Amino acid sequence: QQLVTTHQQRNRMNAHAPKLICPSDISTYTDINGCSAFIAGELDPVFDQDEVVNLTWVMEGSTEDESPSAGIHLIGDYTFPEGTTIITYTATGTDGSTTECMFTVTISDNQVPRLESMPGNIVVAASTGQCSNTVFWIPPRASDNCTPPGQIRVEGSASPGDVFQVGTTRVYYRAWDAMHNESQPQSFTVTVEDRQVPELLLPPDATLECGQP
């Protein structure tokens, strides 16, 4: 999916500056499992080859790059990282006059992070004399195509070391990357079983003699 807006153009020196029309702004998403996007065939301006003797470009923002300062240079195809890059073309005419135009390339990350190493279902016995137990596990990790692991937020509906009552509780985990893309929830169950046999408490023995009330 691409969102298009108008380009910007600026003439310098005189009204006979060479014609130069930049592409429309480009907005698209990162390639699958990557943090960049390959753009092909949409990056070159329209200009008159008979009146332009020098055509150069500069990239600023998420991408820092530039063409050689002399000659006719088109970008053609390019791989852009996540973020917004401003591209400025400058055309120089046969009389030395110049025209500038600019457009932007915005690459957005819409790929959700992945939860990895989710715990399996856990079954424990209740603590002696209790209807609950403290349960520990190793929390899952998360990875993302753009956000470093240390910057991914992972949250669970319970934490290792929590006390669980007798019965089955489902624990959910989710992850968010730096662009606030949310992972699909994953879960496991914690089951606390009551394995203690009941204790039968009987009254003490009693001795009765005949005739006693």
Side-chain angles (χ1 to χ4, degrees):
Q1 181 183 359
Q2 294 190 346
L3 308 177
V4 176
T5 61
T6 57
H7 62 270
Q8 302 179 37
Q9 178 174 317
R10 179 170 58 191
N11 293 335
R12 291 182 176 176
M13 296 184 66
N14 59 58
H16 302 290
K19 175 183 177 181
L20 180 66
I21 302 176
C22 271
S24 297
D25 292 345
I26 299 171
S27 181
T28 189
Y29 296 112
T30 54
D31 296 335
I32 296 298
N33 296 327
C35 198
S36 60
F38 178 71
I39 306 296
E42 304 175 60
L43 301 172
D44 296 337
V46 175
F47 67 100
D48 188 338
Q49 297 183 11
D50 293 329
E51 65 177 6
V52 173
V53 296
N54 206 60
L55 179 65
T56 59
W57 53 263
V58 175
M59 296 184 186
E60 300 174 293
S62 294
T63 306
E64 300 287 338
D65 198 1
E66 62 182 346
S67 69
S69 59
I72 302 296
H73 302 283
L74 300 173
I75 298 174
D77 303 333
Y78 203 92
T79 298
F80 293 89
E82 180 190 16
T84 297
T85 299
I86 302 171
I87 301 174
T88 302
Y89 272 101
T90 301
T92 303
T94 55
D95 61 354
S97 61
T98 62
T99 301
E100 280 187 356
C101 70
M102 65 181 62
F103 65 104
T104 62
V105 177
T106 300
I107 309 300
S108 301
D109 170 28
N110 69 337
Q111 186 170 328
V112 302
R114 296 184 300 273
L115 286 167
E116 301 170 348
S117 302
M118 280 292 295
N121 295 334
I122 300 172
V123 178
V124 297
S127 299
T128 302
Q130 303 292 324
C131 282
S132 62
N133 202 344
T134 302
V135 181
F136 295 89
W137 63 87
I138 299 175
R141 302 186 305 272
S143 63
D144 187 68
N145 61 314
C146 284
T147 304
Q151 298 179 21
I152 302 173
R153 178 164 59 95
V154 179
E155 293 185 1
S157 59
S159 300
D162 283 353
V163 175
F164 290 80
Q165 301 298 313
V166 167
T168 298
T169 302
R170 185 167 291 278
V171 177
Y172 292 91
Y173 272 92
R174 291 177 174 85
W176 290 264
D177 64 16
M179 296 298 293
H180 307 292
N181 296 313
E182 180 180 349
S183 71
Q184 292 296 319
Q186 294 193 37
S187 67
F188 62 96
T189 59
V190 174
T191 300
V192 179
E193 297 179 341
D194 177 11
R195 300 175 186 173
Q196 300 177 57
V197 297
E199 182 181 356
L200 184 61
L201 300 177
L202 298 176
D205 294 341
T207 302
L208 300 176
E209 296 183 3
C210 291
Q212 288 183 336

